[in-house]
Amino acid sequence: MQPLPGFPLYRCRRLLLCMLVSLPFVSPAQQPSGQPYPDSLLQLLHYQSNKAEKAEILFQLSQYWADLDSGRGVTYAREALKYIPHDPYHEGRGHYFLAGAFFEYDIPRAQQEYQQAIHRLEQRKSREAVLLLSKAWHNYGALEQRQGREKNFAAILLNKVVPLATQAGDTLRLGNYYLSLSTVFDNIFDYKRAATYALQAAAVFNRQQPGSEYLIACYTAAATSCLSLNDAAACKIYLDSAAGYVNRYPDSRLGPAYYRTTGRYYNHQRAWPQALSHLRQGILLAENVNRPYDATTIKMELYQTYKAQGALDTARQILLDIYRRPYVREMPENMRLILRELASTDSALHRPQAAYDWLLQYSSLTDTLTERQTRQQISELEAKYNYAEKEKALLLVKAHAVRQKMLLWGIIFLLVPFCVVLIFLYRSLRSKALQAQQIAIAKALLYGEERERSRLARDLHDGLGGTLASISIRLSEVSGIPAGPLAPISRQLDLAVSELRRIAHNMAPEALFRLGLQAALQDLSETHSNSRTTVTLQTMDIRDDLPQQVQLMIYRIVQELLTNITKHAAAGEVLIQCSQLDDMFYITAEDNGKGFSMAGIPAGKGIGIQNIRNRVAFLNGKMEIQSSPGKGTIINIELSCKPTTPSPSSL
């Protein structure tokens, strides 16, 4: 039978367990709701020029003939493959229909085609592809069931078929899949779960297709499971529910299963007339709708009915009829059951020779079947061994890949911090080098500035200062009288000489070189004191052994501080504190002037402040300024007393 949309059949329990293989779906040609006619399809094919439409018609013909003539079904399916578009979905669909054509007579080839279809359909995520993928998995699982691997079918239904149908939103076909699950669990004697899935299927059909004839299969399956659980009351309820739909659809292909289960129910009740009536109706309907499997399983139930009544001759005739059926001969396991029953029946009828002959056939078939099963087990073991070896090789490859990946990530994790450290060190060294370069430039500028100051001071003092002094002396000699007409000029000339000496003194402080830093600072403070500003100097622990370049830098810093305060602070009082502790020298300049906003310092760095910063940097020191408008200014400076380079001789 063709495994296209429809419903599972049900195995005959007890003696004929393997007689009826549960198939997934019947084709649309077999469904009760109208049949396509092959002549009409062939006529359409003759006038059709579109390749896609032609392939669709050929697939329908393949579906139709798959159940009636498998060879013709395969031919039409292969012909259709010539016209399909070359993309994963259409190729997968083609392999799906070809697998359906092989379903009845070549199980390995059918499974191979379903695998090809699954491989291609899994590459597409469209709803149509997912729907067809769920059907392909279902039919593949049904072939697993045919080969006695019920649990494989159950796993495929639960893990593949139902999730895919749910993903595609195919709620109606989900009812079909629940029916398949009911069949599988019934065949492995899990009757409670079988009944549960049958009722789930009924709920789906009642919700999606109220009054559908498919409810015959749902309630029949539930009744069958309840009968196996010896729950006759529940069985009768479900049979009554199924009977209403059987009466509505008297020619349904799903009816024979109902009559078989109803006959079994009356057999359990020992109501033989009702059992015989329903079983005969079932056989007649199965033969009319071309369901030979159903007819055979019902005949087996009919045999059990006559045997239970003691009508062994009639029971024997039914067994012989089953024995002659080709479907039974094709299934050795079923044939063994029939042979055993024939031997038992002939023995009960006192026909020892016939019983002996049946037993010989039974024994021979058992040996053949055992040998076949042994070969199959050996093949399966070999396949498992080969699979295990391949798995080992694959695991080794994966482990090697994982190790390489871990090694690569380990190298990356090590390199990243290493690179970060290198970048940090590079930037730090570059910053230090740049800073050292800037300090060196500042030092060079300061050295150059001090040399130029000394040179200018000497030139002014020795050159221009001497010339002016000589002019003043001669002018005094010429005038002769202090109060004469040249007296004002002489006084202005004396002032010019004094100013020149002051400038020369500032440029090259003679007091610093002759008397030391403390005396020079005191002289500097007195020089900047005037009628408007009082400068107070406080010193503490200033040593006389400070290097000359350090003393000069300290002097210039204090000089610049006092100059800035005098020019900009408008302060009445200024306090300068200088102290020394080991190799550190501290300067604090505090005034009560107008102050300024700290926010303005970065934007407008004055020349005086920048000169102070350069000299502080020269001595590896740091400076802190505290000021606010109207509250004066405090400047704290820390300096290192160690000279950074030898003092030039010119200083």
Side-chain angles (χ1 to χ4, degrees), residues 551-602:
Q551 293 185 42
L552 182 59
M553 286 299 155
I554 293 172
Y555 179 85
R556 293 300 184 195
I557 289 171
V558 175
Q559 184 183 38
E560 197 69 54
L561 287 171
L562 289 172
T563 301
N564 281 348
I565 292 171
T566 303
K567 286 183 178 180
H568 306 295
E573 294 183 358
V574 179
L575 174 64
I576 303 295
Q577 293 180 327
C578 297
S579 61
Q580 183 177 352
L581 180 62
D582 297 329
D583 292 330
M584 296 302 296
F585 196 94
Y586 302 94
I587 302 173
T588 299
E590 183 176 354
D591 67 70
N592 61 352
K594 59 185 178 181
F596 56 89
S597 174
M598 296 295 296
I601 293 179

Short mmCIF file of all heavy atoms in Angstrom, two decimals, residues 551-602:
data_model
loop_
_atom_site.label_atom_id
_atom_site.label_comp_id
_atom_site.label_asym_id
_atom_site.label_seq_id
_atom_site.Cartn_x
_atom_site.Cartn_y
_atom_site.Cartn_z
N GLN A 551 70.76 76.57 43.21
CA GLN A 551 70.53 77.86 43.85
C GLN A 551 70.01 78.87 42.83
O GLN A 551 69.08 79.64 43.12
CB GLN A 551 71.82 78.37 44.48
CG GLN A 551 72.32 77.55 45.65
CD GLN A 551 73.55 78.17 46.30
OE1 GLN A 551 73.60 79.40 46.48
NE2 GLN A 551 74.52 77.34 46.66
N LEU A 552 70.60 78.87 41.65
CA LEU A 552 70.19 79.82 40.62
C LEU A 552 68.74 79.58 40.21
O LEU A 552 67.96 80.53 40.06
CB LEU A 552 71.14 79.71 39.42
CG LEU A 552 70.85 80.68 38.27
CD1 LEU A 552 70.93 82.13 38.74
CD2 LEU A 552 71.84 80.45 37.12
N MET A 553 68.35 78.28 40.05
CA MET A 553 66.97 77.96 39.65
C MET A 553 65.99 78.38 40.74
O MET A 553 64.92 78.92 40.46
CB MET A 553 66.85 76.46 39.36
CG MET A 553 67.49 76.04 38.06
SD MET A 553 66.73 76.87 36.66
CE MET A 553 68.07 76.80 35.49
N ILE A 554 66.35 78.15 42.01
CA ILE A 554 65.47 78.56 43.12
C ILE A 554 65.33 80.07 43.13
O ILE A 554 64.23 80.62 43.30
CB ILE A 554 66.03 78.04 44.47
CG1 ILE A 554 65.95 76.51 44.51
CG2 ILE A 554 65.25 78.64 45.63
CD1 ILE A 554 66.65 75.89 45.71
N TYR A 555 66.44 80.74 42.94
CA TYR A 555 66.42 82.21 42.91
C TYR A 555 65.51 82.71 41.79
O TYR A 555 64.69 83.61 42.00
CB TYR A 555 67.86 82.74 42.73
CG TYR A 555 67.93 84.24 42.65
CD1 TYR A 555 68.00 85.00 43.82
CD2 TYR A 555 67.92 84.90 41.42
CE1 TYR A 555 68.06 86.39 43.76
CE2 TYR A 555 67.98 86.28 41.36
CZ TYR A 555 68.05 87.02 42.52
OH TYR A 555 68.09 88.39 42.46
N ARG A 556 65.64 82.12 40.59
CA ARG A 556 64.83 82.56 39.45
C ARG A 556 63.34 82.28 39.70
O ARG A 556 62.48 83.06 39.32
CB ARG A 556 65.27 81.85 38.17
CG ARG A 556 66.66 82.21 37.70
CD ARG A 556 66.78 83.68 37.40
NE ARG A 556 68.11 84.00 36.84
CZ ARG A 556 68.60 85.22 36.77
NH1 ARG A 556 67.91 86.25 37.27
NH2 ARG A 556 69.78 85.44 36.23
N ILE A 557 63.03 81.15 40.35
CA ILE A 557 61.63 80.82 40.63
C ILE A 557 61.02 81.85 41.57
O ILE A 557 59.93 82.39 41.32
CB ILE A 557 61.52 79.40 41.23
CG1 ILE A 557 61.83 78.34 40.16
CG2 ILE A 557 60.12 79.15 41.80
CD1 ILE A 557 61.97 76.93 40.70
N VAL A 558 61.74 82.18 42.66
CA VAL A 558 61.23 83.17 43.62
C VAL A 558 61.14 84.53 42.96
O VAL A 558 60.17 85.28 43.15
CB VAL A 558 62.13 83.22 44.88
CG1 VAL A 558 61.68 84.33 45.81
CG2 VAL A 558 62.12 81.88 45.59
N GLN A 559 62.14 84.84 42.13
CA GLN A 559 62.14 86.11 41.42
C GLN A 559 60.91 86.23 40.52
O GLN A 559 60.23 87.26 40.49
CB GLN A 559 63.43 86.24 40.59
CG GLN A 559 63.57 87.58 39.88
CD GLN A 559 64.82 87.61 39.02
OE1 GLN A 559 65.19 86.61 38.39
NE2 GLN A 559 65.51 88.76 39.03
N GLU A 560 60.57 85.15 39.79
CA GLU A 560 59.42 85.15 38.89
C GLU A 560 58.12 85.24 39.68
O GLU A 560 57.17 85.91 39.27
CB GLU A 560 59.44 83.89 38.02
CG GLU A 560 58.54 83.96 36.79
CD GLU A 560 59.06 84.96 35.77
OE1 GLU A 560 60.23 84.87 35.36
OE2 GLU A 560 58.28 85.86 35.40
N LEU A 561 58.08 84.54 40.84
CA LEU A 561 56.89 84.61 41.69
C LEU A 561 56.63 86.04 42.14
O LEU A 561 55.49 86.55 42.07
CB LEU A 561 57.05 83.68 42.90
CG LEU A 561 56.94 82.17 42.64
CD1 LEU A 561 57.34 81.39 43.89
CD2 LEU A 561 55.53 81.80 42.21
N LEU A 562 57.68 86.70 42.64
CA LEU A 562 57.53 88.07 43.13
C LEU A 562 57.18 89.03 42.00
O LEU A 562 56.38 89.95 42.18
CB LEU A 562 58.81 88.51 43.83
CG LEU A 562 59.08 87.84 45.19
CD1 LEU A 562 60.47 88.22 45.71
CD2 LEU A 562 58.02 88.26 46.20
N THR A 563 57.75 88.81 40.84
CA THR A 563 57.44 89.66 39.68
C THR A 563 55.97 89.54 39.31
O THR A 563 55.29 90.54 39.06
CB THR A 563 58.34 89.28 38.50
OG1 THR A 563 59.71 89.44 38.87
CG2 THR A 563 58.02 90.16 37.29
N ASN A 564 55.44 88.30 39.25
CA ASN A 564 54.03 88.09 38.91
C ASN A 564 53.12 88.72 39.94
O ASN A 564 52.10 89.34 39.61
CB ASN A 564 53.73 86.59 38.81
CG ASN A 564 54.20 86.00 37.49
OD1 ASN A 564 54.53 86.75 36.57
ND2 ASN A 564 54.24 84.69 37.41
N ILE A 565 53.47 88.54 41.23
CA ILE A 565 52.63 89.10 42.29
C ILE A 565 52.61 90.62 42.20
O ILE A 565 51.56 91.26 42.31
CB ILE A 565 53.13 88.64 43.68
CG1 ILE A 565 52.89 87.13 43.83
CG2 ILE A 565 52.41 89.39 44.79
CD1 ILE A 565 53.55 86.54 45.06
N THR A 566 53.79 91.22 41.99
CA THR A 566 53.88 92.68 41.91
C THR A 566 53.07 93.22 40.74
O THR A 566 52.39 94.24 40.85
CB THR A 566 55.35 93.10 41.78
OG1 THR A 566 56.09 92.59 42.90
CG2 THR A 566 55.48 94.62 41.73
N LYS A 567 53.11 92.52 39.59
CA LYS A 567 52.44 93.02 38.39
C LYS A 567 50.94 92.79 38.41
O LYS A 567 50.16 93.62 37.95
CB LYS A 567 53.03 92.33 37.15
CG LYS A 567 54.41 92.82 36.77
CD LYS A 567 54.86 92.11 35.49
CE LYS A 567 56.24 92.63 35.05
NZ LYS A 567 56.70 91.96 33.82
N HIS A 568 50.49 91.62 38.92
CA HIS A 568 49.09 91.22 38.68
C HIS A 568 48.24 91.10 39.94
O HIS A 568 47.01 91.18 39.84
CB HIS A 568 49.06 89.86 37.95
CG HIS A 568 49.87 89.83 36.70
ND1 HIS A 568 49.58 90.60 35.59
CD2 HIS A 568 51.01 89.13 36.39
CE1 HIS A 568 50.48 90.36 34.64
NE2 HIS A 568 51.36 89.47 35.10
N ALA A 569 48.84 90.86 41.11
CA ALA A 569 48.02 90.49 42.26
C ALA A 569 47.41 91.69 42.98
O ALA A 569 46.37 91.55 43.63
CB ALA A 569 48.85 89.68 43.26
N ALA A 570 48.07 92.86 42.87
CA ALA A 570 47.61 94.04 43.63
C ALA A 570 47.52 93.71 45.11
O ALA A 570 46.54 94.00 45.79
CB ALA A 570 46.26 94.53 43.09
N ALA A 571 48.55 93.00 45.61
CA ALA A 571 48.54 92.53 46.99
C ALA A 571 49.21 93.55 47.90
O ALA A 571 50.16 94.24 47.51
CB ALA A 571 49.26 91.19 47.09
N GLY A 572 48.75 93.64 49.13
CA GLY A 572 49.37 94.51 50.12
C GLY A 572 50.45 93.79 50.89
O GLY A 572 51.43 94.39 51.33
N GLU A 573 50.30 92.48 51.08
CA GLU A 573 51.26 91.69 51.82
C GLU A 573 51.58 90.42 51.05
O GLU A 573 50.68 89.76 50.50
CB GLU A 573 50.72 91.34 53.21
CG GLU A 573 50.53 92.56 54.11
CD GLU A 573 50.06 92.17 55.51
OE1 GLU A 573 49.87 90.95 55.73
OE2 GLU A 573 49.91 93.07 56.34
N VAL A 574 52.86 90.07 51.06
CA VAL A 574 53.33 88.85 50.39
C VAL A 574 54.24 88.11 51.36
O VAL A 574 55.13 88.72 51.97
CB VAL A 574 54.08 89.17 49.09
CG1 VAL A 574 54.57 87.87 48.45
CG2 VAL A 574 53.20 89.95 48.13
N LEU A 575 54.00 86.79 51.49
CA LEU A 575 54.83 85.96 52.36
C LEU A 575 55.51 84.90 51.51
O LEU A 575 54.85 84.13 50.80
CB LEU A 575 53.98 85.28 53.44
CG LEU A 575 54.72 84.28 54.32
CD1 LEU A 575 55.81 85.00 55.15
CD2 LEU A 575 53.74 83.56 55.26
N ILE A 576 56.87 84.91 51.59
CA ILE A 576 57.66 83.89 50.89
C ILE A 576 58.32 83.02 51.95
O ILE A 576 59.06 83.52 52.80
CB ILE A 576 58.73 84.52 49.98
CG1 ILE A 576 58.11 85.48 48.96
CG2 ILE A 576 59.53 83.43 49.27
CD1 ILE A 576 57.19 84.82 47.97
N GLN A 577 58.04 81.69 51.88
CA GLN A 577 58.65 80.73 52.81
C GLN A 577 59.52 79.77 52.01
O GLN A 577 59.05 79.15 51.04
CB GLN A 577 57.57 79.94 53.56
CG GLN A 577 56.76 80.78 54.52
CD GLN A 577 55.69 79.97 55.24
OE1 GLN A 577 55.14 79.03 54.67
NE2 GLN A 577 55.42 80.33 56.48
N CYS A 578 60.79 79.64 52.43
CA CYS A 578 61.72 78.71 51.79
C CYS A 578 62.34 77.84 52.86
O CYS A 578 62.84 78.35 53.88
CB CYS A 578 62.82 79.47 51.04
SG CYS A 578 62.19 80.47 49.68
N SER A 579 62.31 76.53 52.61
CA SER A 579 62.87 75.60 53.59
C SER A 579 63.46 74.41 52.85
O SER A 579 63.11 74.13 51.70
CB SER A 579 61.80 75.14 54.58
OG SER A 579 60.76 74.47 53.91
N GLN A 580 64.33 73.69 53.55
CA GLN A 580 64.99 72.53 52.96
C GLN A 580 64.92 71.37 53.93
O GLN A 580 65.11 71.53 55.13
CB GLN A 580 66.45 72.86 52.61
CG GLN A 580 67.16 71.72 51.92
CD GLN A 580 68.60 72.07 51.52
OE1 GLN A 580 69.00 73.24 51.64
NE2 GLN A 580 69.36 71.10 51.08
N LEU A 581 64.62 70.16 53.37
CA LEU A 581 64.62 68.93 54.15
C LEU A 581 65.33 67.87 53.33
O LEU A 581 64.80 67.40 52.30
CB LEU A 581 63.19 68.48 54.48
CG LEU A 581 63.06 67.19 55.29
CD1 LEU A 581 63.72 67.37 56.66
CD2 LEU A 581 61.58 66.82 55.47
N ASP A 582 66.53 67.54 53.79
CA ASP A 582 67.39 66.60 53.04
C ASP A 582 67.58 67.13 51.62
O ASP A 582 68.10 68.22 51.44
CB ASP A 582 66.80 65.21 53.05
CG ASP A 582 66.72 64.64 54.47
OD1 ASP A 582 67.60 64.99 55.28
OD2 ASP A 582 65.78 63.86 54.77
N ASP A 583 67.14 66.32 50.61
CA ASP A 583 67.35 66.71 49.22
C ASP A 583 66.14 67.40 48.61
O ASP A 583 66.06 67.57 47.39
CB ASP A 583 67.70 65.49 48.37
CG ASP A 583 69.07 64.93 48.73
OD1 ASP A 583 69.92 65.73 49.14
OD2 ASP A 583 69.27 63.70 48.58
N MET A 584 65.18 67.78 49.43
CA MET A 584 63.97 68.44 48.92
C MET A 584 63.95 69.89 49.39
O MET A 584 64.29 70.20 50.53
CB MET A 584 62.71 67.73 49.41
CG MET A 584 62.57 66.30 48.92
SD MET A 584 62.55 66.17 47.12
CE MET A 584 61.04 67.08 46.75
N PHE A 585 63.57 70.79 48.49
CA PHE A 585 63.49 72.22 48.78
C PHE A 585 62.04 72.65 48.57
O PHE A 585 61.41 72.31 47.56
CB PHE A 585 64.41 73.01 47.86
CG PHE A 585 64.67 74.41 48.35
CD1 PHE A 585 65.78 74.70 49.13
CD2 PHE A 585 63.79 75.45 48.04
CE1 PHE A 585 66.02 75.99 49.59
CE2 PHE A 585 64.02 76.73 48.51
CZ PHE A 585 65.13 77.01 49.28
N TYR A 586 61.46 73.41 49.54
CA TYR A 586 60.06 73.78 49.51
C TYR A 586 59.92 75.30 49.45
O TYR A 586 60.59 76.03 50.20
CB TYR A 586 59.33 73.25 50.76
CG TYR A 586 59.43 71.75 50.91
CD1 TYR A 586 60.44 71.18 51.69
CD2 TYR A 586 58.54 70.91 50.27
CE1 TYR A 586 60.54 69.81 51.83
CE2 TYR A 586 58.63 69.54 50.40
CZ TYR A 586 59.62 68.99 51.18
OH TYR A 586 59.72 67.63 51.31
N ILE A 587 59.06 75.75 48.54
CA ILE A 587 58.80 77.19 48.39
C ILE A 587 57.30 77.40 48.49
O ILE A 587 56.51 76.71 47.83
CB ILE A 587 59.29 77.71 47.02
CG1 ILE A 587 60.79 77.45 46.85
CG2 ILE A 587 58.96 79.20 46.87
CD1 ILE A 587 61.32 77.79 45.48
N THR A 588 56.89 78.36 49.31
CA THR A 588 55.49 78.75 49.40
C THR A 588 55.40 80.25 49.23
O THR A 588 56.10 81.01 49.92
CB THR A 588 54.87 78.35 50.75
OG1 THR A 588 54.93 76.95 50.91
CG2 THR A 588 53.42 78.81 50.85
N ALA A 589 54.55 80.68 48.27
CA ALA A 589 54.32 82.11 48.05
C ALA A 589 52.84 82.37 48.29
O ALA A 589 51.98 81.79 47.63
CB ALA A 589 54.71 82.50 46.63
N GLU A 590 52.54 83.27 49.26
CA GLU A 590 51.16 83.53 49.64
C GLU A 590 50.93 85.04 49.62
O GLU A 590 51.74 85.80 50.15
CB GLU A 590 50.88 82.96 51.02
CG GLU A 590 49.44 83.13 51.48
CD GLU A 590 49.18 82.46 52.82
OE1 GLU A 590 50.10 81.76 53.33
OE2 GLU A 590 48.08 82.64 53.36
N ASP A 591 49.83 85.47 48.96
CA ASP A 591 49.53 86.89 48.92
C ASP A 591 48.05 87.10 49.22
O ASP A 591 47.25 86.17 49.16
CB ASP A 591 49.89 87.49 47.56
CG ASP A 591 49.03 86.97 46.44
OD1 ASP A 591 47.82 87.31 46.40
OD2 ASP A 591 49.54 86.19 45.59
N ASN A 592 47.71 88.35 49.58
CA ASN A 592 46.31 88.70 49.87
C ASN A 592 45.71 89.53 48.76
O ASN A 592 44.85 90.36 48.97
CB ASN A 592 46.21 89.45 51.19
CG ASN A 592 46.98 90.76 51.16
OD1 ASN A 592 47.71 91.04 50.20
ND2 ASN A 592 46.84 91.59 52.20
N GLY A 593 46.19 89.23 47.51
CA GLY A 593 45.73 90.00 46.35
C GLY A 593 44.35 89.61 45.87
O GLY A 593 43.58 88.94 46.56
N LYS A 594 44.04 89.99 44.63
CA LYS A 594 42.70 89.80 44.09
C LYS A 594 42.42 88.37 43.64
O LYS A 594 41.28 88.00 43.39
CB LYS A 594 42.47 90.76 42.93
CG LYS A 594 43.47 90.59 41.79
CD LYS A 594 43.25 91.67 40.73
CE LYS A 594 44.27 91.55 39.60
NZ LYS A 594 44.07 92.60 38.58
N GLY A 595 43.46 87.56 43.51
CA GLY A 595 43.26 86.16 43.12
C GLY A 595 42.73 86.01 41.69
O GLY A 595 42.61 86.98 40.94
N PHE A 596 42.40 84.79 41.32
CA PHE A 596 41.89 84.51 39.97
C PHE A 596 41.18 83.17 39.98
O PHE A 596 41.27 82.38 40.93
CB PHE A 596 43.03 84.51 38.94
CG PHE A 596 44.13 83.55 39.26
CD1 PHE A 596 44.09 82.23 38.83
CD2 PHE A 596 45.23 83.97 40.02
CE1 PHE A 596 45.10 81.36 39.13
CE2 PHE A 596 46.24 83.10 40.33
CZ PHE A 596 46.19 81.77 39.89
N SER A 597 40.44 82.88 38.89
CA SER A 597 39.70 81.61 38.75
C SER A 597 40.64 80.53 38.24
O SER A 597 41.37 80.72 37.26
CB SER A 597 38.53 81.79 37.78
OG SER A 597 37.90 80.54 37.53
N MET A 598 40.62 79.37 38.91
CA MET A 598 41.50 78.27 38.50
C MET A 598 41.14 77.74 37.12
O MET A 598 41.97 77.17 36.42
CB MET A 598 41.40 77.13 39.52
CG MET A 598 41.90 77.51 40.91
SD MET A 598 43.66 77.87 40.91
CE MET A 598 44.34 76.29 40.47
N ALA A 599 39.87 77.92 36.71
CA ALA A 599 39.45 77.42 35.41
C ALA A 599 40.14 78.16 34.27
O ALA A 599 40.23 77.65 33.16
CB ALA A 599 37.93 77.53 35.27
N GLY A 600 40.65 79.32 34.54
CA GLY A 600 41.27 80.09 33.48
C GLY A 600 42.72 79.76 33.24
O GLY A 600 43.31 80.22 32.27
N ILE A 601 43.33 78.95 34.12
CA ILE A 601 44.77 78.66 33.98
C ILE A 601 45.09 77.87 32.73
O ILE A 601 45.97 78.25 31.96
CB ILE A 601 45.31 77.95 35.23
CG1 ILE A 601 45.25 78.92 36.42
CG2 ILE A 601 46.72 77.45 35.01
CD1 ILE A 601 45.73 78.32 37.71
N PRO A 602 44.39 76.70 32.43
CA PRO A 602 44.78 75.91 31.26
C PRO A 602 44.61 76.67 29.96
O PRO A 602 45.38 76.50 29.03
CB PRO A 602 43.85 74.70 31.31
CG PRO A 602 43.41 74.62 32.74
CD PRO A 602 43.35 76.04 33.20
#
